[in-house]
Amino acid sequence: MNLVIVDYKAGNVQSVMFALERLGINATLSCDFETIKSADKVIFPGVGEASSAMAQLKARNLDKLLPTLEQPFFGVCLGMQLLCQHSEEGDTDLLGIIPLAVKRFETDLKVPHMGWNQLEKLQSPLFAGINEGEYAYYVHSYYVPMSEYTIAQTSYPEPFSAALHYKNFYAAQFHPEKSGPAGSQILKNFLAL
Amino acid sequence: MLTKRIIPCLDIKDGRTVKGVRFENIRDAGDPVELAKWYAAQGADELVFLDITATNEERKTFAELVRDIARHIDIPFTVGGGISAVADVELLLQAGADKVSINSAAIKNPKLVHDLASRFGSQCVTVAIDTKYTEATGWKVYTRAGTVETEYNTVDWAKKVVELGAGEILLTSMNNDGTKAGFALDITKAVSEAVSVPVIASGGAGNMQHFVDAFNKAHADAALAASLFHFRELEIPDLKRFLKAQDVDVRI
């Protein structure tokens, strides 16, 4: 399989590459238009701050390319948020692929939401073989509210979108590459879509 | 429900795991990658790797080891020790670390916390605070591997680094470290209540009840221990079952 990871200097690229390597997949890291367009599947990782990430994408014109892709696409963590319309983080306009807004946690609980929390109401082949209530690793201060595109939810303390599905775009707020065997299974499920 | 985290800490010197008792008497407890894989399989929620000689000896951190660890384990880990510049952090994050922990460098140059948070995001910036209580001074922050007292009161310093962009506090009580008499509950609670970010309790874990107290009495979000785990005096699956039975939410 020709799997391409979008290269825009995102922080967790190496972890995603290693997680795929553990599944026996050698992914190509690239920001080249033709390489990305011809991929069977695309993974879009991301950690860090939304406006700097958007600046990195724009510097490579990836903000023009990514919305036009038609193959199965998987955004992870900030890579999920960037697919949306707008983020409260730095009042940033995002890629605008999924018509949703990204908000900051307003809660008495600790922010960032950091650690292992449960995946619930799983409703996608992305979660084949994953039990309701399975734990996944999160670290984020902004979130996507529940929506018609939500395919899994997590509560902190209110339910938010743990994962999204919109057309060919799949996305997870948690880090499958850091979520132990369950996370590996979710990556494997994406590869099988 | 977000669970409380159990974090084994691996002190690293020359690529090997060691543990200082009260920062002295270093003993060898094995190969870091093997130990890391074993802990991940045991149910550790996260790992911390501290290059303990880096600050004193001004030597570069251990990016190659970090890459090796990232290649083999599938849970998050934090690395620290001798980090003093944005470039150091970039190297470690590129190697596959999830978070970095800074200590002395933050004291020397608090703006570094801000620079790291704006460049890489608060979520990967842990500020480690070594604290020590004396009757004369109260809980003071210490620097340079716990050898030098600073002007900072511990709660004030914690609030300051969070304002600067720290996403997590790793709080080690030097009075408790190595004693196995339990975590410093008072200062852990004071810091946890003073800041909005997660706090890791560290120093003094000796038995399972100590972890319950760190979570239930001191409101820590995570608890860290080293030799207790390395020498298998306490096994993580037993600890988690105990915590669950005491109504502490943990990932089992």
Side-chain angles (χ1 to χ4, degrees):
Chain A
M1 182 195 310
N2 174 13
L3 178 68
V4 172
I5 297 180
V6 180
D7 183 13
Y8 66 109
K9 304 299 168 210
N12 61 336
V13 165
Q14 192 60 63
S15 305
V16 173
M17 297 280 277
F18 283 148
L20 293 164
E21 191 182 293
R22 289 192 292 271
L23 293 173
I25 304 281
N26 275 318
T28 306
L29 185 62
S30 178
C31 62
D32 174 67
F33 275 39
E34 289 313 310
T35 308
I36 295 173
K37 278 203 296 210
S38 64
D40 297 322
K41 292 193 167 69
V42 176
I43 294 184
F44 183 45
V47 292
E49 199 272 325
S51 64
S52 357
M54 280 306 296
Q56 293 283 359
L57 289 170
K58 284 180 179 163
R60 294 164 179 77
N61 280 321
L62 290 166
D63 59 317
K64 305 282 190 304
L65 175 71
L66 300 185
T68 69
L69 296 177
E70 292 178 349
Q71 64 272 66
F73 184 103
F74 192 19
V76 172
C77 193
L78 183 64
M80 164 166 142
Q81 297 183 2
L82 293 172
L83 298 178
C84 296
Q85 204 78 43
H86 182 269
S87 176
E88 288 183 358
E89 186 174 24
D91 190 18
T92 306
D93 284 329
L94 306 171
L95 292 169
I97 295 169
I98 309 180
L100 296 172
V102 181
K103 298 191 173 305
R104 185 174 167 87
F105 281 115
E106 297 295 343
T107 165
D108 293 337
L109 300 177
K110 297 295 179 81
V111 177
H113 171 226
M114 184 187 288
W116 297 79
N117 201 336
Q118 289 174 292
L119 301 174
E120 286 159 353
K121 304 205 173 154
L122 306 174
Q123 38 187 319
S124 165
L126 196 61
F127 298 108
I130 303 293
N131 295 325
E132 281 288 323
E134 181 60 77
Y135 290 96
Y137 186 80
Y138 282 94
V139 48
H140 61 127
S141 301
Y142 293 80
Y143 71 99
V144 178
M146 295 293 293
S147 77
E148 59 192 290
Y149 311 116
T150 302
I151 52 171
Q153 68 183 56
T154 291
S155 297
Y156 193 68
E158 299 302 320
F160 66 88
S161 293
L164 298 171
H165 175 209
Y166 178 84
K167 298 179 180 169
N168 55 312
F169 293 90
Y170 291 80
Q173 179 63 65
F174 55 91
H175 287 274
E177 78 280 11
K178 289 287 171 176
S179 293
S184 298
Q185 182 62 47
I186 291 167
L187 285 173
K188 225 189 270 181
N189 290 342
F190 171 70
L191 299 176
L193 284 173
Chain B
M1 182 72 87
L2 180 67
T3 53
K4 300 292 188 182
R5 290 172 280 151
I6 300 298
I7 308 178
C9 176
L10 291 76
D11 290 349
I12 307 291
K13 187 181 184 189
D14 300 329
R16 300 279 296 173
T17 316
V18 293
K19 170 62 186 171
V21 176
R22 290 181 187 270
F23 299 101
E24 291 160 14
N25 275 337
I26 287 168
R27 289 190 285 176
D28 190 340
D31 168 26
V33 175
E34 285 309 304
L35 205 53
K37 280 162 79 173
W38 186 75
Y39 281 131
Q42 285 267 301
D45 296 304
E46 250 179 70
L47 298 169
V48 171
F49 298 87
L50 290 180
D51 191 4
I52 55 167
T53 55
T55 306
N56 282 340
E57 298 167 14
E58 302 292 331
R59 114 180 114 67
K60 279 288 167 192
T61 42
F62 46 138
E64 275 314 301
L65 177 62
V66 168
R67 179 173 291 273
D68 212 24
I69 293 161
R71 189 184 292 276
H72 289 100
I73 69 162
D74 56 8
I75 61 168
F77 66 95
T78 303
V79 298
I83 294 169
S84 58
V86 170
D88 299 339
V89 172
E90 186 158 30
L91 194 68
L92 293 166
L93 294 178
Q94 277 173 2
D98 298 284
K99 296 183 260 183
V100 294
S101 150
I102 60 169
N103 190 337
S104 301
I107 305 262
K108 199 169 157 188
N109 171 23
K111 187 173 168 288
L112 179 64
V113 178
H114 170 265
D115 293 347
L116 293 176
S118 48
R119 176 75 179 273
F120 306 107
S122 288
Q123 83 292 331
C124 67
V125 182
T126 299
V127 172
I129 301 176
D130 291 335
T131 183
K132 187 172 166 183
Y133 178 85
T134 67
E135 277 198 14
T137 62
W139 287 101
K140 281 280 189 183
V141 177
Y142 279 66
T143 182
R144 304 196 71 82
T147 57
V148 179
E149 184 183 335
T150 72
E151 64 190 285
Y152 295 108
N153 164 288
T154 300
V155 170
D156 293 343
W157 175 241
K159 284 159 95 168
K160 181 175 164 107
V161 295
V162 170
E163 271 165 31
L164 285 166
E168 185 177 51
I169 302 284
L170 166 52
L171 182 70
T172 302
S173 162
M174 296 172 59
N175 301 72
N176 301 58
D177 199 47
T179 64
K180 298 195 176 171
F183 294 98
L185 300 179
D186 54 346
I187 188 63
T188 303
K189 181 168 189 242
V191 170
S192 188
E193 286 176 351
V195 299
S196 56
V197 303
V199 174
I200 306 171
S202 159
N207 63 39
M208 297 197 281
Q209 185 61 41
H210 293 155
F211 288 84
V212 175
D213 293 343
F215 297 132
N216 287 352
K217 292 186 179 164
H219 305 158
D221 300 282
L224 175 146
S227 58
L228 194 64
F229 295 136
H230 300 331
F231 297 103
R232 303 182 71 170
E233 291 164 40
L234 190 56
E235 303 266 357
I236 291 171
D238 296 336
L239 172 59
K240 287 197 159 180
R241 276 192 292 273
F242 184 82
L243 288 167
K244 191 149 195 134
Q246 308 284 317
D247 287 330
V248 177
D249 283 306
V250 286
R251 176 181 69 111
I252 291 187

